[in-house]
Amino acid sequence: VVNEDLCAYMPAIKCPTLLIWGENDTATPISDAKKMASLIPDSGLCEIKGAGHFSFIDSPYEVNAIIASFLEVSAQ
């Protein structure tokens, strides 16, 4: 799946979507995230400064706060 182009499916996503990306991700660069965000309706992109592919490890408190905020807003 990693090398498949799934862009055609992204506009069909019907739920609020949060993308969390490390600015220094070399496995899947931030340009991929920006493309996904433009294709997925009702999506948001949070770029974690200084983080790599595993942004949840590099910046756990920031990622946790972002997810908590997203879930709080989504539940309303």
Side-chain angles (χ1 to χ4, degrees):
V1 175
V2 173
N3 294 322
E4 286 187 49
D5 183 359
L6 302 174
C7 290
Y9 299 100
M10 291 179 192
I13 297 172
K14 301 297 181 203
C15 63
T17 303
L18 173 63
L19 303 167
I20 301 176
W21 231 267
E23 74 170 337
N24 299 326
D25 189 336
T26 56
T28 46
I30 192 72
S31 60
D32 289 358
K34 291 175 181 176
K35 183 173 184 179
M36 290 173 67
S38 73
L39 293 171
I40 300 171
D42 197 18
S43 67
L45 171 60
C46 292
E47 183 176 346
I48 308 297
K49 301 292 180 196
H53 188 69
F54 299 104
S55 57
F56 59 93
I57 293 173
D58 296 337
S59 300
Y61 298 109
E62 186 175 356
V63 169
N64 186 49
I66 290 167
I67 293 171
S69 177
F70 174 76
L71 292 174
E72 183 177 313
V73 170
S74 295
Q76 295 177 357

